[in-house]
Amino acid sequence: MIYSAEVKGMCPVHQGVHHGAAPIPEEAKWVKSREIKDISGYTHGIGWCAPQQGCCKLSLNVKDGIIQEALVETIGCSGMTHSAAMAAEILPGLTVLEALNTDLVCDAINTAMRELFLQIVYGRTQSAFSEGGLQIGAGLEDLGKGARSMVGTTYGTLSKGPRYLELTEGYITKLALDENDEIIGYKYLSFGKMMDFIKAGDDAETAMKKASGQYGRVDDAVRLIDPRKE
């Protein structure tokens, strides 16, 4: 340790009272975190790339400082969506500090890791007050049936108005319009469920029917339109 001449010439003064680290909530326990292994929690975070053309939602399940589970969801540029595949291989097994200082290939994923690190080390996780935390596999459970990300894609122009293309339920096949040409509902197809039906042995047409549904006042519609063509 190198000290400057000014510090060397100072007389020592006792620091006095020091209570140590403030406790943070972790999996229904109050923990004074001093080392990486003291950190546990499950949480989500959003990151974005430098040109802000894409974003990543990262979900991590950390036990005793080590990432046990990582869910990487991206939207935007094709490079980032492929980078997610590498991040899913890289993250599990790293400590949260290693992950913070590891190149996760894409700006958006790196930024998401930074945001998650702050949540985790400050005790702001989703599982802060959940006894024992969340089991490994919580990320897949978040995706729901069909293990497919929930995506919202809508579009609109001044001259032609709004179009719903994909919402929580899935791919929008028809928009229901009333007599004023206002949207009052929609029909949708859940791709995740459809693929599960096909893998279970159903033919494509049967699977599509079983995975289809509607929301809103579709039955009251004056007409139905294809939001991608009409």
Short mmCIF file of all heavy atoms in Angstrom, two decimals, residues 77-142:
data_model
loop_
_atom_site.label_atom_id
_atom_site.label_comp_id
_atom_site.label_asym_id
_atom_site.label_seq_id
_atom_site.Cartn_x
_atom_site.Cartn_y
_atom_site.Cartn_z
N CYS A 77 -33.00 -5.79 -33.09
CA CYS A 77 -32.14 -6.20 -34.20
C CYS A 77 -31.89 -7.70 -34.19
O CYS A 77 -31.90 -8.35 -33.14
CB CYS A 77 -30.82 -5.44 -34.16
SG CYS A 77 -29.73 -5.93 -32.81
N SER A 78 -31.63 -8.27 -35.36
CA SER A 78 -31.40 -9.71 -35.48
C SER A 78 -30.14 -10.14 -34.77
O SER A 78 -30.06 -11.24 -34.22
CB SER A 78 -31.34 -10.12 -36.96
OG SER A 78 -30.30 -9.42 -37.63
N GLY A 79 -29.11 -9.27 -34.75
CA GLY A 79 -27.87 -9.61 -34.05
C GLY A 79 -28.10 -9.83 -32.57
O GLY A 79 -27.52 -10.74 -31.96
N MET A 80 -28.96 -9.01 -31.97
CA MET A 80 -29.22 -9.15 -30.54
C MET A 80 -30.00 -10.42 -30.24
O MET A 80 -29.73 -11.11 -29.25
CB MET A 80 -29.99 -7.94 -30.02
CG MET A 80 -30.29 -8.02 -28.54
SD MET A 80 -31.25 -6.61 -27.96
CE MET A 80 -32.68 -6.73 -29.00
N THR A 81 -30.96 -10.75 -31.07
CA THR A 81 -31.75 -11.94 -30.81
C THR A 81 -30.87 -13.19 -30.90
O THR A 81 -31.09 -14.16 -30.17
CB THR A 81 -32.93 -12.05 -31.79
OG1 THR A 81 -32.45 -12.00 -33.15
CG2 THR A 81 -33.91 -10.91 -31.59
N HIS A 82 -29.85 -13.17 -31.76
CA HIS A 82 -28.92 -14.30 -31.82
C HIS A 82 -27.92 -14.25 -30.67
O HIS A 82 -27.48 -15.29 -30.17
CB HIS A 82 -28.19 -14.32 -33.17
CG HIS A 82 -29.01 -14.90 -34.27
ND1 HIS A 82 -30.07 -14.21 -34.82
CD2 HIS A 82 -28.97 -16.10 -34.90
CE1 HIS A 82 -30.63 -14.96 -35.76
NE2 HIS A 82 -29.99 -16.10 -35.83
N SER A 83 -27.56 -13.04 -30.22
CA SER A 83 -26.67 -12.92 -29.08
C SER A 83 -27.28 -13.52 -27.83
O SER A 83 -26.58 -14.02 -26.95
CB SER A 83 -26.35 -11.44 -28.82
OG SER A 83 -25.67 -10.87 -29.90
N ALA A 84 -28.60 -13.50 -27.75
CA ALA A 84 -29.29 -14.06 -26.58
C ALA A 84 -28.96 -15.53 -26.40
O ALA A 84 -28.88 -16.03 -25.28
CB ALA A 84 -30.79 -13.86 -26.73
N ALA A 85 -28.76 -16.24 -27.52
CA ALA A 85 -28.44 -17.66 -27.44
C ALA A 85 -27.12 -17.87 -26.72
O ALA A 85 -26.97 -18.80 -25.91
CB ALA A 85 -28.39 -18.27 -28.83
N MET A 86 -26.15 -16.99 -27.00
CA MET A 86 -24.85 -17.10 -26.34
C MET A 86 -24.96 -16.72 -24.87
O MET A 86 -24.35 -17.36 -24.00
CB MET A 86 -23.82 -16.22 -27.04
CG MET A 86 -23.57 -16.60 -28.49
SD MET A 86 -22.36 -15.53 -29.30
CE MET A 86 -20.87 -15.95 -28.42
N ALA A 87 -25.75 -15.69 -24.56
CA ALA A 87 -25.89 -15.24 -23.18
C ALA A 87 -26.51 -16.33 -22.31
O ALA A 87 -26.13 -16.49 -21.14
CB ALA A 87 -26.74 -13.98 -23.12
N ALA A 88 -27.45 -17.09 -22.87
CA ALA A 88 -28.08 -18.17 -22.11
C ALA A 88 -27.09 -19.27 -21.77
O ALA A 88 -27.26 -20.00 -20.78
CB ALA A 88 -29.25 -18.76 -22.90
N GLU A 89 -26.04 -19.41 -22.58
CA GLU A 89 -24.98 -20.39 -22.28
C GLU A 89 -23.97 -19.83 -21.29
O GLU A 89 -23.43 -20.55 -20.45
CB GLU A 89 -24.25 -20.79 -23.57
CG GLU A 89 -25.07 -21.62 -24.53
CD GLU A 89 -24.21 -22.21 -25.64
OE1 GLU A 89 -23.15 -22.80 -25.32
OE2 GLU A 89 -24.59 -22.08 -26.81
N ILE A 90 -23.72 -18.53 -21.39
CA ILE A 90 -22.66 -17.90 -20.59
C ILE A 90 -23.07 -17.72 -19.12
O ILE A 90 -22.29 -17.98 -18.20
CB ILE A 90 -22.28 -16.53 -21.19
CG1 ILE A 90 -21.62 -16.72 -22.56
CG2 ILE A 90 -21.35 -15.77 -20.26
CD1 ILE A 90 -21.45 -15.42 -23.32
N LEU A 91 -24.30 -17.25 -18.89
CA LEU A 91 -24.68 -16.76 -17.57
C LEU A 91 -24.77 -17.81 -16.45
O LEU A 91 -24.22 -17.60 -15.37
CB LEU A 91 -26.00 -15.99 -17.68
CG LEU A 91 -25.87 -14.58 -18.28
CD1 LEU A 91 -27.23 -14.03 -18.65
CD2 LEU A 91 -25.16 -13.66 -17.31
N PRO A 92 -25.45 -18.94 -16.65
CA PRO A 92 -25.57 -19.90 -15.54
C PRO A 92 -24.20 -20.38 -15.07
O PRO A 92 -23.34 -20.76 -15.88
CB PRO A 92 -26.39 -21.04 -16.14
CG PRO A 92 -27.19 -20.39 -17.23
CD PRO A 92 -26.26 -19.36 -17.81
N GLY A 93 -23.99 -20.35 -13.75
CA GLY A 93 -22.72 -20.79 -13.19
C GLY A 93 -21.79 -19.65 -12.82
O GLY A 93 -20.84 -19.85 -12.07
N LEU A 94 -22.06 -18.44 -13.34
CA LEU A 94 -21.25 -17.29 -12.99
C LEU A 94 -21.76 -16.65 -11.70
O LEU A 94 -22.95 -16.71 -11.39
CB LEU A 94 -21.29 -16.23 -14.09
CG LEU A 94 -20.77 -16.60 -15.49
CD1 LEU A 94 -20.84 -15.38 -16.40
CD2 LEU A 94 -19.36 -17.14 -15.43
N THR A 95 -20.85 -16.01 -10.95
CA THR A 95 -21.31 -15.17 -9.86
C THR A 95 -21.90 -13.90 -10.48
O THR A 95 -21.60 -13.57 -11.63
CB THR A 95 -20.17 -14.79 -8.90
OG1 THR A 95 -19.27 -13.91 -9.58
CG2 THR A 95 -19.44 -16.03 -8.41
N VAL A 96 -22.69 -13.16 -9.70
CA VAL A 96 -23.29 -11.94 -10.24
C VAL A 96 -22.20 -10.92 -10.58
O VAL A 96 -22.37 -10.11 -11.50
CB VAL A 96 -24.32 -11.33 -9.27
CG1 VAL A 96 -25.58 -12.17 -9.24
CG2 VAL A 96 -23.75 -11.17 -7.88
N LEU A 97 -21.08 -10.95 -9.88
CA LEU A 97 -19.99 -10.02 -10.19
C LEU A 97 -19.28 -10.43 -11.49
O LEU A 97 -18.94 -9.58 -12.31
CB LEU A 97 -18.98 -9.98 -9.04
CG LEU A 97 -17.86 -8.93 -9.17
CD1 LEU A 97 -18.44 -7.53 -9.32
CD2 LEU A 97 -16.92 -9.00 -7.97
N GLU A 98 -19.08 -11.73 -11.68
CA GLU A 98 -18.49 -12.20 -12.94
C GLU A 98 -19.39 -11.83 -14.12
O GLU A 98 -18.92 -11.38 -15.17
CB GLU A 98 -18.32 -13.72 -12.90
CG GLU A 98 -17.19 -14.22 -12.03
CD GLU A 98 -17.14 -15.73 -11.95
OE1 GLU A 98 -18.21 -16.36 -11.80
OE2 GLU A 98 -16.03 -16.29 -12.05
N ALA A 99 -20.69 -12.03 -13.94
CA ALA A 99 -21.64 -11.73 -15.03
C ALA A 99 -21.64 -10.25 -15.36
O ALA A 99 -21.78 -9.86 -16.53
CB ALA A 99 -23.04 -12.19 -14.63
N LEU A 100 -21.48 -9.42 -14.35
CA LEU A 100 -21.45 -7.98 -14.57
C LEU A 100 -20.26 -7.58 -15.40
O LEU A 100 -20.31 -6.63 -16.19
CB LEU A 100 -21.43 -7.25 -13.22
CG LEU A 100 -21.50 -5.73 -13.25
CD1 LEU A 100 -22.86 -5.27 -13.76
CD2 LEU A 100 -21.23 -5.15 -11.87
N ASN A 101 -19.16 -8.31 -15.26
CA ASN A 101 -17.91 -7.98 -15.96
C ASN A 101 -17.60 -8.94 -17.10
O ASN A 101 -16.46 -9.07 -17.53
CB ASN A 101 -16.75 -7.97 -14.96
CG ASN A 101 -16.83 -6.79 -14.01
OD1 ASN A 101 -16.58 -5.67 -14.40
ND2 ASN A 101 -17.22 -7.05 -12.78
N THR A 102 -18.62 -9.63 -17.60
CA THR A 102 -18.47 -10.54 -18.74
C THR A 102 -19.12 -9.92 -19.96
O THR A 102 -20.19 -9.32 -19.87
CB THR A 102 -19.13 -11.89 -18.43
OG1 THR A 102 -18.46 -12.50 -17.33
CG2 THR A 102 -19.07 -12.83 -19.62
N ASP A 103 -18.51 -10.05 -21.11
CA ASP A 103 -19.10 -9.56 -22.35
C ASP A 103 -20.23 -10.49 -22.76
O ASP A 103 -20.00 -11.63 -23.17
CB ASP A 103 -18.05 -9.49 -23.46
CG ASP A 103 -18.62 -8.94 -24.76
OD1 ASP A 103 -19.78 -8.46 -24.74
OD2 ASP A 103 -17.93 -9.00 -25.78
N LEU A 104 -21.45 -10.02 -22.63
CA LEU A 104 -22.63 -10.82 -22.99
C LEU A 104 -23.04 -10.56 -24.43
O LEU A 104 -24.20 -10.73 -24.79
CB LEU A 104 -23.77 -10.53 -22.02
CG LEU A 104 -23.45 -10.87 -20.55
CD1 LEU A 104 -24.58 -10.43 -19.64
CD2 LEU A 104 -23.16 -12.35 -20.40
N VAL A 105 -22.08 -10.16 -25.24
CA VAL A 105 -22.19 -10.06 -26.70
C VAL A 105 -22.92 -8.81 -27.16
O VAL A 105 -22.45 -8.11 -28.06
CB VAL A 105 -22.86 -11.32 -27.31
CG1 VAL A 105 -22.76 -11.28 -28.83
CG2 VAL A 105 -22.22 -12.60 -26.76
N CYS A 106 -24.04 -8.49 -26.56
CA CYS A 106 -24.87 -7.38 -27.05
C CYS A 106 -25.00 -6.29 -25.99
O CYS A 106 -25.12 -6.58 -24.79
CB CYS A 106 -26.24 -7.93 -27.42
SG CYS A 106 -27.47 -6.66 -27.75
N ASP A 107 -24.99 -5.04 -26.42
CA ASP A 107 -25.17 -3.90 -25.50
C ASP A 107 -26.41 -4.06 -24.65
O ASP A 107 -26.40 -3.78 -23.45
CB ASP A 107 -25.29 -2.59 -26.30
CG ASP A 107 -23.94 -2.02 -26.67
OD1 ASP A 107 -22.93 -2.58 -26.21
OD2 ASP A 107 -23.90 -1.03 -27.41
N ALA A 108 -27.51 -4.44 -25.27
CA ALA A 108 -28.79 -4.51 -24.56
C ALA A 108 -28.74 -5.54 -23.44
O ALA A 108 -29.26 -5.31 -22.34
CB ALA A 108 -29.92 -4.83 -25.53
N ILE A 109 -28.11 -6.69 -23.69
CA ILE A 109 -28.02 -7.74 -22.68
C ILE A 109 -27.06 -7.31 -21.57
O ILE A 109 -27.33 -7.53 -20.39
CB ILE A 109 -27.58 -9.07 -23.31
CG1 ILE A 109 -28.51 -9.44 -24.47
CG2 ILE A 109 -27.59 -10.19 -22.27
CD1 ILE A 109 -28.07 -10.67 -25.26
N ASN A 110 -25.95 -6.67 -21.94
CA ASN A 110 -25.01 -6.15 -20.94
C ASN A 110 -25.68 -5.11 -20.05
O ASN A 110 -25.48 -5.09 -18.83
CB ASN A 110 -23.79 -5.54 -21.63
CG ASN A 110 -22.84 -6.58 -22.19
OD1 ASN A 110 -22.57 -7.58 -21.54
ND2 ASN A 110 -22.35 -6.36 -23.39
N THR A 111 -26.46 -4.23 -20.66
CA THR A 111 -27.15 -3.19 -19.89
C THR A 111 -28.18 -3.81 -18.96
O THR A 111 -28.34 -3.38 -17.81
CB THR A 111 -27.83 -2.18 -20.83
OG1 THR A 111 -26.85 -1.64 -21.71
CG2 THR A 111 -28.48 -1.05 -20.05
N ALA A 112 -28.89 -4.82 -19.44
CA ALA A 112 -29.86 -5.51 -18.59
C ALA A 112 -29.17 -6.14 -17.39
O ALA A 112 -29.67 -6.09 -16.26
CB ALA A 112 -30.60 -6.58 -19.39
N MET A 113 -27.97 -6.72 -17.61
CA MET A 113 -27.22 -7.33 -16.51
C MET A 113 -26.84 -6.26 -15.49
O MET A 113 -26.91 -6.50 -14.27
CB MET A 113 -25.97 -8.02 -17.06
CG MET A 113 -25.16 -8.76 -16.02
SD MET A 113 -26.06 -10.09 -15.21
CE MET A 113 -25.73 -9.72 -13.49
N ARG A 114 -26.47 -5.10 -15.96
CA ARG A 114 -26.11 -4.00 -15.05
C ARG A 114 -27.31 -3.60 -14.18
O ARG A 114 -27.19 -3.43 -12.97
CB ARG A 114 -25.64 -2.80 -15.86
CG ARG A 114 -25.24 -1.58 -15.02
CD ARG A 114 -25.11 -0.35 -15.90
NE ARG A 114 -26.41 0.11 -16.36
CZ ARG A 114 -26.58 0.98 -17.37
NH1 ARG A 114 -25.53 1.45 -18.02
NH2 ARG A 114 -27.79 1.35 -17.72
N GLU A 115 -28.48 -3.47 -14.81
CA GLU A 115 -29.68 -3.08 -14.08
C GLU A 115 -30.08 -4.14 -13.07
O GLU A 115 -30.51 -3.83 -11.96
CB GLU A 115 -30.82 -2.80 -15.06
CG GLU A 115 -30.56 -1.67 -16.04
CD GLU A 115 -30.28 -0.36 -15.33
OE1 GLU A 115 -31.11 0.05 -14.48
OE2 GLU A 115 -29.23 0.26 -15.61
N LEU A 116 -29.95 -5.42 -13.45
CA LEU A 116 -30.28 -6.50 -12.52
C LEU A 116 -29.33 -6.55 -11.35
O LEU A 116 -29.74 -6.81 -10.22
CB LEU A 116 -30.27 -7.85 -13.26
CG LEU A 116 -31.65 -8.40 -13.59
CD1 LEU A 116 -32.29 -7.56 -14.67
CD2 LEU A 116 -31.57 -9.84 -14.02
N PHE A 117 -28.05 -6.30 -11.62
CA PHE A 117 -27.05 -6.30 -10.55
C PHE A 117 -27.44 -5.31 -9.46
O PHE A 117 -27.38 -5.61 -8.27
CB PHE A 117 -25.67 -5.97 -11.12
CG PHE A 117 -24.57 -6.00 -10.11
CD1 PHE A 117 -23.95 -7.20 -9.77
CD2 PHE A 117 -24.17 -4.83 -9.47
CE1 PHE A 117 -22.93 -7.23 -8.82
CE2 PHE A 117 -23.15 -4.86 -8.52
CZ PHE A 117 -22.54 -6.06 -8.20
N LEU A 118 -27.87 -4.13 -9.87
CA LEU A 118 -28.27 -3.11 -8.90
C LEU A 118 -29.47 -3.58 -8.07
O LEU A 118 -29.50 -3.40 -6.85
CB LEU A 118 -28.62 -1.80 -9.63
CG LEU A 118 -27.46 -1.09 -10.33
CD1 LEU A 118 -27.98 0.11 -11.11
CD2 LEU A 118 -26.40 -0.68 -9.34
N GLN A 119 -30.44 -4.19 -8.72
CA GLN A 119 -31.61 -4.69 -7.99
C GLN A 119 -31.21 -5.77 -6.99
O GLN A 119 -31.66 -5.78 -5.84
CB GLN A 119 -32.64 -5.26 -8.97
CG GLN A 119 -33.28 -4.23 -9.88
CD GLN A 119 -34.29 -4.88 -10.82
OE1 GLN A 119 -34.88 -5.90 -10.50
NE2 GLN A 119 -34.45 -4.29 -11.98
N ILE A 120 -30.36 -6.68 -7.45
CA ILE A 120 -29.99 -7.83 -6.62
C ILE A 120 -29.19 -7.40 -5.40
O ILE A 120 -29.48 -7.81 -4.27
CB ILE A 120 -29.20 -8.85 -7.46
CG1 ILE A 120 -30.10 -9.47 -8.54
CG2 ILE A 120 -28.63 -9.95 -6.57
CD1 ILE A 120 -29.35 -10.25 -9.60
N VAL A 121 -28.17 -6.56 -5.59
CA VAL A 121 -27.30 -6.22 -4.47
C VAL A 121 -27.93 -5.22 -3.51
O VAL A 121 -27.48 -5.08 -2.38
CB VAL A 121 -25.93 -5.69 -4.96
CG1 VAL A 121 -25.19 -6.74 -5.76
CG2 VAL A 121 -26.08 -4.39 -5.75
N TYR A 122 -29.00 -4.54 -3.94
CA TYR A 122 -29.70 -3.63 -3.05
C TYR A 122 -30.95 -4.27 -2.43
O TYR A 122 -31.72 -3.60 -1.74
CB TYR A 122 -30.09 -2.34 -3.77
CG TYR A 122 -28.93 -1.39 -3.97
CD1 TYR A 122 -28.56 -0.98 -5.24
CD2 TYR A 122 -28.21 -0.91 -2.88
CE1 TYR A 122 -27.49 -0.11 -5.43
CE2 TYR A 122 -27.14 -0.04 -3.06
CZ TYR A 122 -26.78 0.36 -4.34
OH TYR A 122 -25.72 1.22 -4.52
N GLY A 123 -31.17 -5.56 -2.69
CA GLY A 123 -32.30 -6.25 -2.09
C GLY A 123 -33.64 -5.88 -2.68
O GLY A 123 -34.66 -5.93 -2.00
N ARG A 124 -33.64 -5.51 -3.96
CA ARG A 124 -34.91 -5.12 -4.62
C ARG A 124 -35.42 -6.22 -5.54
O ARG A 124 -36.02 -5.95 -6.57
CB ARG A 124 -34.72 -3.83 -5.42
CG ARG A 124 -34.21 -2.63 -4.62
CD ARG A 124 -35.17 -2.23 -3.51
NE ARG A 124 -34.83 -0.92 -2.98
CZ ARG A 124 -33.99 -0.71 -1.98
NH1 ARG A 124 -33.40 -1.76 -1.41
NH2 ARG A 124 -33.74 0.50 -1.53
N THR A 125 -35.19 -7.47 -5.20
CA THR A 125 -35.58 -8.58 -6.07
C THR A 125 -37.07 -8.88 -5.94
O THR A 125 -37.73 -8.50 -4.97
CB THR A 125 -34.79 -9.85 -5.74
OG1 THR A 125 -35.07 -10.22 -4.38
CG2 THR A 125 -33.30 -9.62 -5.89
N GLN A 126 -37.59 -9.61 -6.93
CA GLN A 126 -38.98 -10.02 -6.90
C GLN A 126 -39.27 -10.98 -5.75
O GLN A 126 -40.38 -11.09 -5.27
CB GLN A 126 -39.36 -10.70 -8.23
CG GLN A 126 -39.02 -9.91 -9.47
CD GLN A 126 -39.79 -8.61 -9.55
OE1 GLN A 126 -41.00 -8.61 -9.40
NE2 GLN A 126 -39.11 -7.51 -9.78
N SER A 127 -38.22 -11.70 -5.32
CA SER A 127 -38.38 -12.72 -4.28
C SER A 127 -37.85 -12.25 -2.93
O SER A 127 -37.57 -13.07 -2.05
CB SER A 127 -37.65 -14.00 -4.70
OG SER A 127 -36.28 -13.74 -4.93
N ALA A 128 -37.72 -10.92 -2.73
CA ALA A 128 -37.14 -10.39 -1.50
C ALA A 128 -37.87 -10.89 -0.25
O ALA A 128 -37.25 -11.15 0.79
CB ALA A 128 -37.13 -8.87 -1.52
N PHE A 129 -39.17 -11.05 -0.34
CA PHE A 129 -39.95 -11.46 0.83
C PHE A 129 -40.61 -12.82 0.65
O PHE A 129 -41.58 -13.15 1.33
CB PHE A 129 -40.99 -10.39 1.15
CG PHE A 129 -40.37 -9.05 1.45
CD1 PHE A 129 -40.37 -8.04 0.51
CD2 PHE A 129 -39.76 -8.82 2.67
CE1 PHE A 129 -39.77 -6.81 0.78
CE2 PHE A 129 -39.18 -7.60 2.95
CZ PHE A 129 -39.17 -6.59 2.01
N SER A 130 -40.09 -13.63 -0.29
CA SER A 130 -40.59 -14.98 -0.52
C SER A 130 -39.70 -15.97 0.22
O SER A 130 -38.52 -16.09 -0.09
CB SER A 130 -40.60 -15.31 -2.02
OG SER A 130 -41.41 -14.39 -2.73
N GLU A 131 -40.26 -16.69 1.18
CA GLU A 131 -39.46 -17.60 1.99
C GLU A 131 -38.82 -18.68 1.12
O GLU A 131 -39.51 -19.38 0.38
CB GLU A 131 -40.34 -18.26 3.07
CG GLU A 131 -39.54 -19.07 4.08
CD GLU A 131 -40.37 -19.53 5.25
OE1 GLU A 131 -41.56 -19.17 5.33
OE2 GLU A 131 -39.83 -20.26 6.10
N GLY A 132 -37.51 -18.78 1.19
CA GLY A 132 -36.79 -19.76 0.40
C GLY A 132 -36.57 -19.34 -1.04
O GLY A 132 -35.94 -20.06 -1.81
N GLY A 133 -37.11 -18.18 -1.42
CA GLY A 133 -36.96 -17.71 -2.80
C GLY A 133 -37.81 -18.50 -3.78
O GLY A 133 -38.75 -19.20 -3.39
N LEU A 134 -37.49 -18.39 -5.05
CA LEU A 134 -38.22 -19.10 -6.09
C LEU A 134 -37.40 -20.27 -6.60
O LEU A 134 -36.17 -20.18 -6.72
CB LEU A 134 -38.56 -18.16 -7.25
CG LEU A 134 -39.46 -16.97 -6.90
CD1 LEU A 134 -39.78 -16.16 -8.15
CD2 LEU A 134 -40.76 -17.43 -6.25
N GLN A 135 -38.08 -21.36 -6.92
CA GLN A 135 -37.40 -22.56 -7.41
C GLN A 135 -36.75 -22.32 -8.77
O GLN A 135 -37.16 -21.42 -9.50
CB GLN A 135 -38.39 -23.71 -7.52
CG GLN A 135 -39.48 -23.49 -8.57
CD GLN A 135 -40.47 -24.63 -8.64
OE1 GLN A 135 -40.43 -25.55 -7.85
NE2 GLN A 135 -41.35 -24.57 -9.62
N ILE A 136 -35.75 -23.12 -9.07
CA ILE A 136 -35.13 -23.05 -10.40
C ILE A 136 -36.18 -23.54 -11.41
O ILE A 136 -36.73 -24.63 -11.27
CB ILE A 136 -33.88 -23.94 -10.48
CG1 ILE A 136 -32.95 -23.67 -9.29
CG2 ILE A 136 -33.17 -23.71 -11.80
CD1 ILE A 136 -32.52 -22.24 -9.14
N GLY A 137 -36.46 -22.73 -12.39
CA GLY A 137 -37.54 -23.00 -13.33
C GLY A 137 -38.60 -21.92 -13.30
O GLY A 137 -39.54 -21.92 -14.10
N ALA A 138 -38.42 -20.95 -12.39
CA ALA A 138 -39.38 -19.85 -12.29
C ALA A 138 -39.44 -19.04 -13.57
O ALA A 138 -40.48 -18.51 -13.94
CB ALA A 138 -39.00 -18.94 -11.12
N GLY A 139 -38.30 -18.96 -14.28
CA GLY A 139 -38.28 -18.22 -15.54
C GLY A 139 -39.19 -18.83 -16.59
O GLY A 139 -39.94 -18.13 -17.28
N LEU A 140 -39.15 -20.16 -16.70
CA LEU A 140 -40.02 -20.84 -17.66
C LEU A 140 -41.48 -20.70 -17.26
O LEU A 140 -42.36 -20.56 -18.12
CB LEU A 140 -39.64 -22.32 -17.75
CG LEU A 140 -38.40 -22.66 -18.58
CD1 LEU A 140 -38.17 -24.17 -18.58
CD2 LEU A 140 -38.52 -22.14 -20.00
N GLU A 141 -41.75 -20.72 -15.95
CA GLU A 141 -43.13 -20.57 -15.50
C GLU A 141 -43.66 -19.19 -15.87
O GLU A 141 -44.85 -19.03 -16.16
CB GLU A 141 -43.21 -20.78 -13.99
CG GLU A 141 -43.00 -22.25 -13.58
CD GLU A 141 -43.12 -22.44 -12.08
OE1 GLU A 141 -43.32 -21.44 -11.36
OE2 GLU A 141 -43.00 -23.60 -11.63
N ASP A 142 -42.79 -18.18 -15.85
CA ASP A 142 -43.20 -16.84 -16.24
C ASP A 142 -43.70 -16.79 -17.68
O ASP A 142 -44.56 -15.98 -18.03
CB ASP A 142 -42.03 -15.86 -16.09
CG ASP A 142 -41.99 -15.23 -14.71
OD1 ASP A 142 -42.88 -15.53 -13.90
OD2 ASP A 142 -41.06 -14.45 -14.44
#
